[in-house]
Amino acid sequence: QVQLVESGGGSVQPGGSLRLSCAASADTYSTNWMGWFRQAPGKEREGVAATGGGWTYYADSVKGRFTISQDDAKNTVYLQMNSLKPEDTGTYYCAAAASVLYRGSWFRPYNYNDWGRGIQVTVSS
């Protein structure tokens, strides 16, 4: 059974930082692309970042502020979020895709097979 467990969310002031973690089962981590999505109230789920096969992709809104990385020894994917803004507020989801993703597909939720439960990130003064 695929398991994706997010951690590290919370509340932070604008300009602050948070690091999200996503722990995955070994078979999921080794064979899939991994992505981070977020969803704000009343809005659609949007892709934030993804990584796989040595490639990384970012949404334009987070480039230069967020970094996705992996720790293969721990089967864990991270999302380091710096210079946070109020518009970064939302529920953040970790996701795994069984297929290879490309620049035109990584941000589409339907390309991902498995999802974590999500974790809240609130940026507010």
Side-chain angles (χ1 to χ4, degrees):
Q1 183 177 358
V2 173
Q3 283 191 327
L4 299 172
V5 180
E6 302 100 337
S7 61
S11 295
V12 64
Q13 291 186 341
S17 298
L18 284 173
R19 189 177 78 158
L20 303 183
S21 300
C22 173
S25 55
D27 55 348
T28 298
Y29 183 87
S30 64
T31 61
N32 286 266
W33 274 64
M34 302 296 294
W36 285 98
F37 285 74
R38 67 187 180 190
Q39 189 166 19
K43 294 188 176 181
E44 294 185 354
R45 191 169 298 190
E46 64 171 348
V48 175
T51 186
W55 295 85
T56 57
Y57 295 115
Y58 295 95
D60 288 343
S61 59
V62 306
K63 280 181 182 177
R65 301 188 298 121
F66 291 13
T67 303
I68 189 170
S69 62
Q70 300 172 270
D71 184 334
D72 294 342
K74 297 182 179 179
N75 295 340
T76 299
V77 178
Y78 302 99
L79 185 68
Q80 177 66 44
M81 305 185 294
N82 298 329
S83 302
L84 283 161
K85 304 175 181 180
E87 50 263 44
D88 295 318
T89 295
T91 302
Y92 282 68
Y93 298 89
C94 177
S99 57
V100 175
L101 300 177
Y102 300 94
R103 188 175 301 278
S105 63
W106 73 268
F107 52 88
R108 302 188 189 281
Y110 60 72
N111 286 320
Y112 292 77
N113 308 92
D114 298 287
W115 294 82
R117 291 187 175 184
I119 193 164
Q120 181 66 32
V121 171
T122 302
V123 185
S124 175
S125 56

mmCIF file with all atom_site columns, all heavy atoms in Angstrom, residues 31 36 39 45 58 61 71 86 90 114 120:
data_model
loop_
_atom_site.group_PDB
_atom_site.id
_atom_site.type_symbol
_atom_site.label_atom_id
_atom_site.label_alt_id
_atom_site.label_comp_id
_atom_site.label_asym_id
_atom_site.label_entity_id
_atom_site.label_seq_id
_atom_site.pdbx_PDB_ins_code
_atom_site.Cartn_x
_atom_site.Cartn_y
_atom_site.Cartn_z
_atom_site.occupancy
_atom_site.B_iso_or_equiv
_atom_site.pdbx_formal_charge
_atom_site.auth_seq_id
_atom_site.auth_comp_id
_atom_site.auth_asym_id
_atom_site.auth_atom_id
_atom_site.pdbx_PDB_model_num
ATOM 1  N N   . THR A 1 31  ? 10.386 4.450  -7.666  1.00 0.00 ? 31  THR A N   1
ATOM 2  C CA  . THR A 1 31  ? 9.880  4.285  -9.018  1.00 0.00 ? 31  THR A CA  1
ATOM 3  C C   . THR A 1 31  ? 9.031  5.441  -9.511  1.00 0.00 ? 31  THR A C   1
ATOM 4  O O   . THR A 1 31  ? 8.489  5.389  -10.591 1.00 0.00 ? 31  THR A O   1
ATOM 5  C CB  . THR A 1 31  ? 9.031  3.004  -9.107  1.00 0.00 ? 31  THR A CB  1
ATOM 6  O OG1 . THR A 1 31  ? 7.919  3.109  -8.217  1.00 0.00 ? 31  THR A OG1 1
ATOM 7  C CG2 . THR A 1 31  ? 9.857  1.791  -8.754  1.00 0.00 ? 31  THR A CG2 1
ATOM 8  N N   . TRP A 1 36  ? 4.857  18.260 -5.109  1.00 0.00 ? 36  TRP A N   1
ATOM 9  C CA  . TRP A 1 36  ? 4.150  19.011 -4.066  1.00 0.00 ? 36  TRP A CA  1
ATOM 10 C C   . TRP A 1 36  ? 3.091  19.875 -4.736  1.00 0.00 ? 36  TRP A C   1
ATOM 11 O O   . TRP A 1 36  ? 3.372  20.564 -5.729  1.00 0.00 ? 36  TRP A O   1
ATOM 12 C CB  . TRP A 1 36  ? 5.107  19.908 -3.278  1.00 0.00 ? 36  TRP A CB  1
ATOM 13 C CG  . TRP A 1 36  ? 5.977  19.186 -2.309  1.00 0.00 ? 36  TRP A CG  1
ATOM 14 C CD1 . TRP A 1 36  ? 7.277  18.799 -2.495  1.00 0.00 ? 36  TRP A CD1 1
ATOM 15 C CD2 . TRP A 1 36  ? 5.624  18.761 -0.991  1.00 0.00 ? 36  TRP A CD2 1
ATOM 16 N NE1 . TRP A 1 36  ? 7.747  18.164 -1.367  1.00 0.00 ? 36  TRP A NE1 1
ATOM 17 C CE2 . TRP A 1 36  ? 6.755  18.137 -0.430  1.00 0.00 ? 36  TRP A CE2 1
ATOM 18 C CE3 . TRP A 1 36  ? 4.466  18.863 -0.218  1.00 0.00 ? 36  TRP A CE3 1
ATOM 19 C CZ2 . TRP A 1 36  ? 6.763  17.606 0.861   1.00 0.00 ? 36  TRP A CZ2 1
ATOM 20 C CZ3 . TRP A 1 36  ? 4.476  18.336 1.062   1.00 0.00 ? 36  TRP A CZ3 1
ATOM 21 C CH2 . TRP A 1 36  ? 5.609  17.714 1.582   1.00 0.00 ? 36  TRP A CH2 1
ATOM 22 N N   . GLN A 1 39  ? -3.423 23.822 -2.131  1.00 0.00 ? 39  GLN A N   1
ATOM 23 C CA  . GLN A 1 39  ? -4.788 24.230 -2.425  1.00 0.00 ? 39  GLN A CA  1
ATOM 24 C C   . GLN A 1 39  ? -5.255 25.220 -1.368  1.00 0.00 ? 39  GLN A C   1
ATOM 25 O O   . GLN A 1 39  ? -5.239 24.915 -0.172  1.00 0.00 ? 39  GLN A O   1
ATOM 26 C CB  . GLN A 1 39  ? -5.718 23.016 -2.461  1.00 0.00 ? 39  GLN A CB  1
ATOM 27 C CG  . GLN A 1 39  ? -7.103 23.333 -2.966  1.00 0.00 ? 39  GLN A CG  1
ATOM 28 C CD  . GLN A 1 39  ? -7.886 22.083 -3.315  1.00 0.00 ? 39  GLN A CD  1
ATOM 29 O OE1 . GLN A 1 39  ? -7.564 20.976 -2.876  1.00 0.00 ? 39  GLN A OE1 1
ATOM 30 N NE2 . GLN A 1 39  ? -8.923 22.222 -4.114  1.00 0.00 ? 39  GLN A NE2 1
ATOM 31 N N   . ARG A 1 45  ? -6.504 22.965 -6.898  1.00 0.00 ? 45  ARG A N   1
ATOM 32 C CA  . ARG A 1 45  ? -5.196 22.480 -6.475  1.00 0.00 ? 45  ARG A CA  1
ATOM 33 C C   . ARG A 1 45  ? -4.168 22.827 -7.543  1.00 0.00 ? 45  ARG A C   1
ATOM 34 O O   . ARG A 1 45  ? -4.401 22.622 -8.739  1.00 0.00 ? 45  ARG A O   1
ATOM 35 C CB  . ARG A 1 45  ? -5.262 20.969 -6.264  1.00 0.00 ? 45  ARG A CB  1
ATOM 36 C CG  . ARG A 1 45  ? -4.061 20.371 -5.590  1.00 0.00 ? 45  ARG A CG  1
ATOM 37 C CD  . ARG A 1 45  ? -4.329 18.936 -5.175  1.00 0.00 ? 45  ARG A CD  1
ATOM 38 N NE  . ARG A 1 45  ? -5.413 18.850 -4.203  1.00 0.00 ? 45  ARG A NE  1
ATOM 39 C CZ  . ARG A 1 45  ? -5.709 17.740 -3.538  1.00 0.00 ? 45  ARG A CZ  1
ATOM 40 N NH1 . ARG A 1 45  ? -5.018 16.624 -3.749  1.00 0.00 ? 45  ARG A NH1 1
ATOM 41 N NH2 . ARG A 1 45  ? -6.711 17.717 -2.672  1.00 0.00 ? 45  ARG A NH2 1
ATOM 42 N N   . TYR A 1 58  ? 9.349  23.860 -11.110 1.00 0.00 ? 58  TYR A N   1
ATOM 43 C CA  . TYR A 1 58  ? 8.724  24.749 -10.130 1.00 0.00 ? 58  TYR A CA  1
ATOM 44 C C   . TYR A 1 58  ? 7.659  25.600 -10.798 1.00 0.00 ? 58  TYR A C   1
ATOM 45 O O   . TYR A 1 58  ? 7.789  25.989 -11.961 1.00 0.00 ? 58  TYR A O   1
ATOM 46 C CB  . TYR A 1 58  ? 9.760  25.689 -9.504  1.00 0.00 ? 58  TYR A CB  1
ATOM 47 C CG  . TYR A 1 58  ? 10.814 24.998 -8.685  1.00 0.00 ? 58  TYR A CG  1
ATOM 48 C CD1 . TYR A 1 58  ? 12.037 24.651 -9.240  1.00 0.00 ? 58  TYR A CD1 1
ATOM 49 C CD2 . TYR A 1 58  ? 10.585 24.691 -7.345  1.00 0.00 ? 58  TYR A CD2 1
ATOM 50 C CE1 . TYR A 1 58  ? 13.013 24.018 -8.494  1.00 0.00 ? 58  TYR A CE1 1
ATOM 51 C CE2 . TYR A 1 58  ? 11.552 24.061 -6.580  1.00 0.00 ? 58  TYR A CE2 1
ATOM 52 C CZ  . TYR A 1 58  ? 12.766 23.726 -7.169  1.00 0.00 ? 58  TYR A CZ  1
ATOM 53 O OH  . TYR A 1 58  ? 13.723 23.096 -6.415  1.00 0.00 ? 58  TYR A OH  1
ATOM 54 N N   . SER A 1 61  ? 5.363  31.016 -9.531  1.00 0.00 ? 61  SER A N   1
ATOM 55 C CA  . SER A 1 61  ? 5.083  31.787 -8.320  1.00 0.00 ? 61  SER A CA  1
ATOM 56 C C   . SER A 1 61  ? 6.031  31.470 -7.166  1.00 0.00 ? 61  SER A C   1
ATOM 57 O O   . SER A 1 61  ? 6.101  32.227 -6.200  1.00 0.00 ? 61  SER A O   1
ATOM 58 C CB  . SER A 1 61  ? 3.641  31.554 -7.875  1.00 0.00 ? 61  SER A CB  1
ATOM 59 O OG  . SER A 1 61  ? 3.421  30.184 -7.614  1.00 0.00 ? 61  SER A OG  1
ATOM 60 N N   . ASP A 1 71  ? 16.031 12.909 -0.038  1.00 0.00 ? 71  ASP A N   1
ATOM 61 C CA  . ASP A 1 71  ? 16.983 12.160 0.761   1.00 0.00 ? 71  ASP A CA  1
ATOM 62 C C   . ASP A 1 71  ? 16.707 10.688 0.473   1.00 0.00 ? 71  ASP A C   1
ATOM 63 O O   . ASP A 1 71  ? 15.769 10.108 1.026   1.00 0.00 ? 71  ASP A O   1
ATOM 64 C CB  . ASP A 1 71  ? 16.810 12.475 2.249   1.00 0.00 ? 71  ASP A CB  1
ATOM 65 C CG  . ASP A 1 71  ? 17.861 11.788 3.108   1.00 0.00 ? 71  ASP A CG  1
ATOM 66 O OD1 . ASP A 1 71  ? 18.398 10.731 2.691   1.00 0.00 ? 71  ASP A OD1 1
ATOM 67 O OD2 . ASP A 1 71  ? 18.140 12.298 4.201   1.00 0.00 ? 71  ASP A OD2 1
ATOM 68 N N   . PRO A 1 86  ? 1.795  35.718 2.173   1.00 0.00 ? 86  PRO A N   1
ATOM 69 C CA  . PRO A 1 86  ? 0.431  35.317 2.549   1.00 0.00 ? 86  PRO A CA  1
ATOM 70 C C   . PRO A 1 86  ? -0.249 34.462 1.481   1.00 0.00 ? 86  PRO A C   1
ATOM 71 O O   . PRO A 1 86  ? -1.029 33.560 1.808   1.00 0.00 ? 86  PRO A O   1
ATOM 72 C CB  . PRO A 1 86  ? -0.281 36.656 2.741   1.00 0.00 ? 86  PRO A CB  1
ATOM 73 C CG  . PRO A 1 86  ? 0.804  37.590 3.176   1.00 0.00 ? 86  PRO A CG  1
ATOM 74 C CD  . PRO A 1 86  ? 2.016  37.164 2.391   1.00 0.00 ? 86  PRO A CD  1
ATOM 75 N N   . GLY A 1 90  ? -2.158 27.684 2.412   1.00 0.00 ? 90  GLY A N   1
ATOM 76 C CA  . GLY A 1 90  ? -3.000 26.634 1.863   1.00 0.00 ? 90  GLY A CA  1
ATOM 77 C C   . GLY A 1 90  ? -2.668 25.294 2.461   1.00 0.00 ? 90  GLY A C   1
ATOM 78 O O   . GLY A 1 90  ? -1.789 25.181 3.327   1.00 0.00 ? 90  GLY A O   1
ATOM 79 N N   . ASP A 1 114 ? -0.973 8.801  -6.382  1.00 0.00 ? 114 ASP A N   1
ATOM 80 C CA  . ASP A 1 114 ? -1.155 8.668  -4.936  1.00 0.00 ? 114 ASP A CA  1
ATOM 81 C C   . ASP A 1 114 ? -0.896 10.009 -4.263  1.00 0.00 ? 114 ASP A C   1
ATOM 82 O O   . ASP A 1 114 ? -0.015 10.770 -4.678  1.00 0.00 ? 114 ASP A O   1
ATOM 83 C CB  . ASP A 1 114 ? -0.216 7.606  -4.366  1.00 0.00 ? 114 ASP A CB  1
ATOM 84 C CG  . ASP A 1 114 ? -0.496 6.249  -4.964  1.00 0.00 ? 114 ASP A CG  1
ATOM 85 O OD1 . ASP A 1 114 ? -1.524 5.646  -4.611  1.00 0.00 ? 114 ASP A OD1 1
ATOM 86 O OD2 . ASP A 1 114 ? 0.309  5.793  -5.806  1.00 0.00 ? 114 ASP A OD2 1
ATOM 87 N N   . GLN A 1 120 ? -1.350 21.779 6.644   1.00 0.00 ? 120 GLN A N   1
ATOM 88 C CA  . GLN A 1 120 ? -1.676 23.192 6.537   1.00 0.00 ? 120 GLN A CA  1
ATOM 89 C C   . GLN A 1 120 ? -0.438 24.063 6.679   1.00 0.00 ? 120 GLN A C   1
ATOM 90 O O   . GLN A 1 120 ? 0.400  23.841 7.563   1.00 0.00 ? 120 GLN A O   1
ATOM 91 C CB  . GLN A 1 120 ? -2.706 23.580 7.603   1.00 0.00 ? 120 GLN A CB  1
ATOM 92 C CG  . GLN A 1 120 ? -3.130 25.028 7.572   1.00 0.00 ? 120 GLN A CG  1
ATOM 93 C CD  . GLN A 1 120 ? -3.904 25.376 6.297   1.00 0.00 ? 120 GLN A CD  1
ATOM 94 O OE1 . GLN A 1 120 ? -4.615 24.535 5.736   1.00 0.00 ? 120 GLN A OE1 1
ATOM 95 N NE2 . GLN A 1 120 ? -3.761 26.612 5.840   1.00 0.00 ? 120 GLN A NE2 1
#
